[in-house]
Amino acid sequence: MEQAQNGKAPRARLSSVANSIRLLTSFSGEENELGITTLASRLRLAKSTVHRLATTLTGSGFLEQNSETGKYRLGVALFELGALVRRRMDVANEARPKLRELLEKTGETVQLGIVDHFSVLYVYEMESRHAIRMAAAVGARASLHCTAVGKVLLAYQPADYVKQVIAHGLKAHTPKTVTRREALLAMLTEVAEREHAIDDEESENGLRAVAAPVRNHTGNVIAALGVAAPVQRMTKKDMQTCVPSVIATAAAVSARLGYVASRTRALVE
């Protein structure tokens, strides 16, 4: 009996989520307000079910109810979520020309990533023209604790978030991956002080990378960009030589986003 109830609960929850999404996507530019009867008909659901969904979504700010007509329209919470997506897109748009310059200068794959849940989400990349190259497709994810881009992002996150990442486990991707809490925290402190991170075959055998933080107009780190290459072309010396170019590119993108800091300029001059 218990198993049957437990088996039904997830399906019921997923069904409610799916119906909520269907309800929200029923609105359009031509029909920005819809009533329960119309929604029930389009969704082929009982009015009572649609009313419960609408009430829940209204309470969360995803819908608003017109007090005069009783009809519903999309709420401010959706606008706020859309604004977050737009800001991510803006970062990629502003970074594009600078990443191309970095690609031309280094000849290696360049990447732009952001924090999403407990991983790096790559939102833009340009691949090297070399036949053998490193690549991270747009939309791909990677670990925060061992990639160059991930280390930079993690170094500027709140302490509570870092604790959550550690609690999720520090998976060893290679023998060089840092998996001890104390070692990771020390490394993140160093990354924040130097304003760049390196990946010396820590996330993948045969890969080296360098990354630096991208800041918005308030100074918050909202993304990280970097260069990645096979160890055959990026020696440890080459990796260090690449650091100033990566920091300069990140600073240039940050400047395009409205960030100004004498310290950043001093680092790249």
Side-chain angles (χ1 to χ4, degrees):
M1 182 70 141
E2 252 179 47
Q3 291 180 348
Q5 288 176 344
N6 290 339
K8 289 179 181 178
R11 285 198 295 272
R13 286 196 293 270
L14 289 174
S15 177
S16 296
V17 171
N19 286 331
S20 294
I21 294 171
R22 290 173 59 211
L23 190 156
L24 292 172
T25 55
S26 295
F27 295 88
S28 66
E30 292 73 31
E31 296 178 297
N32 61 352
E33 287 194 356
L34 296 171
I36 294 296
T37 300
T38 301
L39 287 168
S41 176
R42 291 185 181 180
L43 300 177
R44 296 182 180 179
L45 295 173
K47 288 184 181 181
S48 57
T49 300
V50 174
H51 186 268
R52 284 197 299 272
L53 291 173
T55 299
T56 300
L57 291 169
T58 299
S60 301
F62 291 104
L63 286 181
E64 294 176 353
Q65 188 174 25
N66 187 321
S67 59
E68 295 182 0
T69 64
K71 292 183 177 181
Y72 292 86
R73 55 179 175 247
L74 297 179
V76 175
L78 287 172
F79 174 80
E80 292 172 344
L81 289 176
L84 289 175
V85 175
R86 178 59 186 271
R87 282 202 290 274
R88 289 180 178 180
M89 293 173 64
D90 286 346
V91 173
N93 288 336
E94 294 301 328
R96 186 177 291 114
K98 296 301 178 182
L99 285 172
R100 183 168 296 282
E101 290 176 12
L102 186 60
L103 170 62
E104 294 299 330
K105 185 172 185 177
T106 64
E108 302 297 348
T109 298
V110 294
Q111 305 164 334
L112 179 71
I114 61 172
V115 171
D116 188 69
H117 293 90
F118 294 104
S119 63
V120 176
L121 175 65
Y122 291 105
V123 295
Y124 194 73
E125 68 100 28
M126 293 182 182
E127 289 188 9
S128 166
R129 296 187 180 88
H130 292 288
I132 300 175
R133 58 185 181 269
M134 307 312 297
V138 173
R141 294 178 182 274
S143 298
L144 286 163
H145 69 286
C146 57
T147 58
V149 167
K151 290 180 192 178
V152 168
L153 293 169
L154 194 56
Y156 295 95
Q157 296 302 309
D160 287 345
Y161 178 82
V162 176
K163 287 180 181 178
Q164 291 179 56
V165 171
I166 294 173
H168 273 70
L170 304 176
K171 180 181 177 181
H173 294 272
T174 77
K176 291 186 176 183
T177 305
V178 173
T179 57
R180 291 176 53 250
R181 176 183 178 277
E182 295 76 12
L184 177 65
L185 294 176
M187 180 175 62
L188 295 179
T189 298
E190 185 177 342
V191 168
E193 290 175 351
R194 297 186 177 185
E195 299 211 354
H196 75 274
I198 63 171
D199 172 0
D200 186 7
E201 297 189 88
E202 297 160 57
S203 64
E204 184 177 337
N205 287 318
L207 165 70
R208 287 195 176 112
V210 180
V214 174
R215 303 174 184 271
N216 64 10
H217 67 285
T218 65
N220 292 325
V221 173
I222 58 172
L225 60 79
V227 174
V231 294
Q232 293 84 354
R233 287 200 305 274
M234 185 180 278
T235 64
K236 291 189 176 183
K237 182 179 180 181
D238 292 332
M239 187 165 54
Q240 292 302 326
T241 302
C242 192
V243 168
S245 296
V246 173
I247 292 178
T249 301
V253 175
S254 298
R256 290 175 68 93
L257 295 172
Y259 178 65
V260 179
S262 56
R263 185 185 176 199
T264 300
R265 288 197 296 271
L267 281 169
V268 300
E269 286 176 353

